[in-house]
Amino acid sequence: MDPSSMFGPIDALTKIQVEFLILGLVIVNMVTRILAHRTHVSQARDGADAITRYVPHELANVLLILGAFYYLTIEHHGGMILSMLVLGTFLTDFFEFEARKVEARREKPLDKPKAAVVGSLFVLSYIAYQSLFYLVEPLWNGVV
C-alpha cells in the first residue's frame, strides 16, 4: 500500500472502479451540456436576462472536478493530466455561457458550445484511454 494515498486501502480497492466512474461522469457531463444548450436556446427567446445556468450541468461539472482531483490522489501522473483537462473544460464552459448571454443581448442565434465540446472530447478520450487500456495492453506490450 502506498503511504501517500489519501484513503489507504480504499484507494487500492477502488482504483479500477474510479476510472469507470469518472468515465461515466464525463458522459453525463456531455449529455447535460447538450441539455443545457437546448435550455439556453429556449430561454434566449425571452431575452438575455432569462438565460440562467443549467443546474444539472453545473452539478455534473463539480462532480467531474471532484472526481478528477480524487483520481489525482490515486494516479499522480494520470490524475494531473485529467485534472488539467477537466479544469480547462470547466473554464471553457464558464466563458461559453457568458458568450451565449452576449449573443442573446445582440439578438443573434446562439452558437453551439463548440470549444466546450472539443474540451469534453479530449477529457473523454483521455479517461477512456486510462480506463480501457487493459483491452489493448497485450497488443501494446507486444509492440513496445
Side-chain angles (χ1 to χ4, degrees):
M1 179 173 66
D2 185 13
S4 66
S5 67
M6 187 172 195
F7 297 110
I10 296 173
D11 288 343
L13 292 175
T14 62
K15 180 180 177 186
I16 294 173
Q17 290 88 7
V18 168
E19 291 170 347
F20 285 110
L21 178 68
I22 294 173
L23 180 63
L25 284 173
V26 170
I27 293 169
V28 166
N29 188 278
M30 293 174 83
V31 169
T32 58
R33 180 172 290 108
I34 292 167
L35 296 174
H37 179 68
R38 288 181 185 170
T39 304
H40 292 156
V41 169
S42 66
Q43 289 173 342
R45 294 183 192 121
D46 297 332
D49 293 332
I51 297 177
T52 59
R53 295 196 180 271
Y54 190 65
V55 176
H57 182 61
E58 298 303 318
L59 182 63
N61 275 339
V62 168
L63 289 175
L64 187 57
I65 290 170
L66 291 175
F69 285 162
Y70 176 69
Y71 188 62
L72 179 61
T73 66
I74 298 171
E75 287 290 330
H76 303 295
H77 182 262
M80 181 62 72
I81 293 170
L82 181 67
S83 296
M84 291 299 105
L85 290 172
V86 168
L87 286 175
T89 303
F90 172 75
L91 288 173
T92 304
D93 268 341
F94 179 78
F95 288 111
E96 292 263 354
F97 173 76
E98 296 300 325
R100 299 300 83 82
K101 288 186 72 105
V102 169
E103 289 170 349
R105 278 189 214 111
R106 292 183 176 181
E107 297 178 358
K108 291 184 176 180
L110 299 185
D111 277 343
K112 294 179 177 138
K114 298 174 204 153
V117 169
V118 170
S120 296
L121 290 175
F122 278 122
V123 173
L124 178 68
S125 63
Y126 188 74
I127 196 62
Y129 165 75
Q130 288 291 330
S131 60
L132 302 174
F133 183 71
Y134 72 92
L135 296 174
V136 295
E137 188 174 15
L139 296 171
W140 181 261
N141 289 336
V143 173
V144 177

